[in-house]
Amino acid sequence: MLPVDLDALLLSRLQFAFTIAFHILFPAFTIGLAAYLAVLEGLWLWTKREAFKVLYLFWVKIFALSFGMGVVSGVVLSYQFGTNWSEFIRLTGGVIGPLLAYEVLTAFFLEASFLGVMLFGWKKVGPKLHFASTVLVAVGTTISAFWILSANSWMQTPQGFQIMADGRFEATDYMLVIFNPSFPTRLAHMLLAAFLTTGLVVGGASAFRLLKDRSAGVKTEGWSESRISLVMAVGLIAVLAPLQLVAGHASGEVTHKYQPSKTAAIEGYWETRADQPLHLFGIPDREAQKNHFEVSIPGVGNLIQGVPKDEVITGLDRYAREDQPPPFIPFFGFRIMVGLGMLMIGLGAWGAVLIWRRRIFDSPLFLRFAVLMGPSGFIAVLAGWMVTEVGRQPWVVYGVLKTRDAVSPVVASQVATSLIAYVAVYSVVFTAGAIFILRLMAEGPVAAIAEPDPRGQRPPGTPLAKAPDDTTPDGPDGVLGGPQ
């Protein structure tokens, strides 16, 4: 027998949370990686520099694996709408359905049409057509993000619809549905997160390869490519991380205006008042309706929300307890996301200074920091997504449709069985895929260098001969002027 608390609603939420947590990692990576591949191939066509081609052939393997796992996990989510959330689809399908259909028609078909050329057409089509295919796949991933974020943002800030007599939702203005209030800032925030996630992974993998060669005292095949990709990644992070802070703040202001209960949960505001403090730390307690071990800065909360000091900010006390979002996850998820964001800004600033001083490859401490920050984009995306979705509760369409009214009429034992099956299958399949991707990253760009014929060429992975000026920063051919 299942515990009383584990009803079909809670289990359905846990199942969807589990599967979407896996799924979102792959689009968050492939959106940025597709754009990175387009840049690499464009630079190769423009400069004819072989290093860009090697980097493309290396990262396209990882893209293919990540894209495939993203598609598979996404299909599972679409099935769950019918099995676990049939009432949600029945009631809101007139609004949500077309948005998801547009994603398939405009994005998925575009990606599917040109993905084969991108992955398998390197020696079968001309370089310009292949480059165009790579660009179109990158465009397709961005269009996909557009429609998915539009649908999800409508659930956060619904508009442009009416509720019919039978309870079903009907769109009255699709422009208002698509471009709902939270959509522009959330789209910018998510795209920046995807690009940062890719930059951090590329930078971490490149730094790992350079550290490995440094500890071995040799420079192997793919060494110069790792230097180039590290500089590109650090440059991206240095520019985008501060922009992400701006986009995140703008998104927070929209949330404050349209979803005050979510803002209260994120900030740990239990009392409705003006001149709110900024809670740096605390342990929100829904039962006690307060924060334990609170560490706060008085009078800064209104400033952070972008409102006058004398303006009243809604606290959770304005809502019945059953209508309050569970504050623990939004409170800590937001602080994890912001903390990692500040570390990203620090990484980009430190790397930019080292690039300017031509010492980025001579700092083992920075390279280790870059390796440690490699997975931080994924963690920040997961934290941000939990803030967004848990902070919306108990609503599935904010202020209009509660989550408990959207679940399918299924029994808890059925949902529990499928949840156990998902955990078992995902643990095997996606763990194996992740391990294979990590092994490719550890091998580095040498994995993309073709095996040579046996006529005296150096096999991949063997040390390069050291020149007397290997560490000289002003050689004519290397990245930042260094030798290759």
Side-chain angles (χ1 to χ4, degrees):
M1 295 290 293
L2 289 167
V4 175
D5 290 338
L6 290 179
D7 57 7
L9 172 60
L10 179 58
L11 287 168
S12 294
R13 289 179 60 191
L14 289 173
Q15 185 178 111
F16 198 82
F18 175 78
T19 51
I20 201 171
F22 271 88
H23 172 69
I24 197 175
L25 297 177
F26 299 111
F29 184 39
T30 54
I31 290 170
L33 190 55
Y36 179 57
L37 289 169
V39 170
L40 288 174
E41 189 167 9
L43 288 172
W44 174 67
L45 290 173
W46 181 32
T47 65
K48 303 300 180 184
R49 191 171 176 181
E50 196 70 10
F52 293 121
K53 177 182 176 181
V54 171
L55 284 170
Y56 179 94
L57 294 175
F58 168 63
W59 285 105
V60 79
K61 295 181 179 182
I62 295 171
F63 174 83
L65 290 166
S66 302
F67 188 88
M69 289 191 287
V71 169
V72 171
S73 57
V75 170
V76 171
L77 288 174
S78 64
Y79 280 120
Q80 284 186 19
F81 281 123
T83 58
N84 292 19
W85 302 100
S86 60
E87 281 300 293
F88 170 72
I89 294 300
R90 185 183 71 83
L91 295 172
T92 67
V95 178
I96 291 289
L99 300 183
L100 300 180
Y102 294 153
E103 190 267 339
V104 174
L105 291 172
T106 61
F108 188 77
F109 283 175
L110 180 65
E111 294 165 344
S113 299
F114 291 95
L115 184 65
V117 178
M118 176 184 172
L119 297 181
F120 307 110
W122 186 266
K123 296 181 180 179
K124 295 178 174 60
V125 300
K128 292 183 180 179
L129 177 57
H130 191 275
F131 174 60
S133 299
T134 304
V135 171
L136 288 171
V137 169
V139 170
T141 60
T142 304
I143 294 175
S144 180
F146 177 94
W147 289 114
I148 297 300
L149 263 294
S150 176
N152 185 267
S153 296
W154 179 82
M155 295 163 64
Q156 307 285 339
T157 52
Q159 66 174 17
F161 71 99
Q162 64 180 358
I163 300 178
M164 310 299 288
D166 60 358
R168 290 183 300 107
F169 290 50
E170 182 182 84
T172 57
D173 188 334
Y174 258 109
M175 291 303 291
L176 291 178
V177 170
I178 295 168
F179 296 99
N180 57 80
S182 64
F183 171 61
T185 54
R186 293 187 71 236
L187 177 64
H189 195 47
M190 185 64 205
L191 289 177
L192 287 171
F195 295 141
L196 279 169
T197 298
T198 300
L200 289 160
V201 171
V202 171
S206 303
F208 177 83
R209 183 68 184 180
L210 293 172
L211 281 171
K212 187 176 179 181
D213 286 353
R214 185 185 186 94
S215 64
V218 296
K219 294 180 176 62
T220 59
E221 198 88 56
W223 169 74
S224 60
E225 286 82 0
S226 296
R227 287 164 59 111
I228 293 172
S229 58
L230 177 63
V231 171
M232 293 177 71
V234 169
L236 180 79
I237 296 166
V239 173
L240 295 190
L243 290 179
Q244 181 68 311
L245 183 65
V246 175
H249 180 70
S251 182
E253 289 183 334
V254 174
T255 300
H256 166 73
K257 181 177 180 180
Y258 292 95
Q259 295 178 289
S261 63
K262 181 189 289 187
T263 298
I266 289 171
E267 300 295 346
Y269 295 153
W270 295 99
E271 178 186 358
T272 300
R273 52 173 281 194
D275 195 21
Q276 291 276 17
L278 172 63
H279 297 313
L280 300 177
F281 180 79
I283 300 178
D285 186 339
R286 196 177 186 182
E287 294 300 318
Q289 297 282 290
K290 67 177 184 179
N291 301 321
H292 300 289
F293 309 109
E294 206 172 72
V295 178
S296 307
I297 302 177
V300 182
N302 283 50
L303 177 64
I304 295 296
Q305 298 301 325
V307 298
K309 189 175 182 179
D310 58 351
E311 181 174 320
V312 173
I313 294 181
T314 302
L316 290 172
D317 60 355
R318 281 283 180 90
Y319 305 91
R321 187 166 299 192
E322 62 271 16
D323 291 336
Q324 294 175 356
F328 189 88
I329 292 177
F331 184 86
F332 283 103
F334 180 77
R335 279 148 185 79
I336 290 171
M337 179 178 62
V338 172
L340 289 174
M342 299 308 294
L343 289 175
M344 293 173 197
I345 292 174
L347 176 69
W350 186 8
V353 171
L354 290 175
I355 290 174
W356 178 65
R357 297 178 62 188
R358 298 179 181 269
R359 297 186 59 84
I360 189 168
F361 312 118
D362 302 325
S363 175
L365 187 60
F366 173 79
L367 295 178
R368 293 189 183 97
F369 184 37
V371 172
L372 289 174
M373 288 293 291
S376 62
F378 295 113
I379 300 171
V381 166
L382 283 176
W385 199 256
M386 286 190 288
V387 169
T388 299
E389 299 307 303
V390 177
R392 183 183 59 199
Q393 297 304 316
W395 305 97
V396 66
V397 180
Y398 188 82
V400 182
L401 178 64
K402 287 196 171 180
T403 307
R404 66 168 180 257
D405 298 323
V407 71
S408 299
V410 293
V411 297
S413 59
Q414 293 173 329
V415 185
T417 301
S418 59
L419 175 58
I420 293 170
Y422 279 130
V423 171
V425 173
Y426 274 47
S427 298
V428 174
V429 174
F430 291 105
T431 299
I435 290 174
F436 187 63
I437 289 174
L438 289 173
R439 285 181 176 176
L440 274 176
M441 289 183 184
E443 191 175 355
V446 67
I449 301 175
E451 290 290 338
D453 60 35
R455 291 177 291 184
Q457 291 182 301
R458 182 182 66 255
T462 56
L464 298 171
K466 279 192 175 182
D469 60 348
D470 263 346
T471 58
T472 304
D474 300 318
D477 299 321
V479 63
L480 297 184
Q484 291 192 48

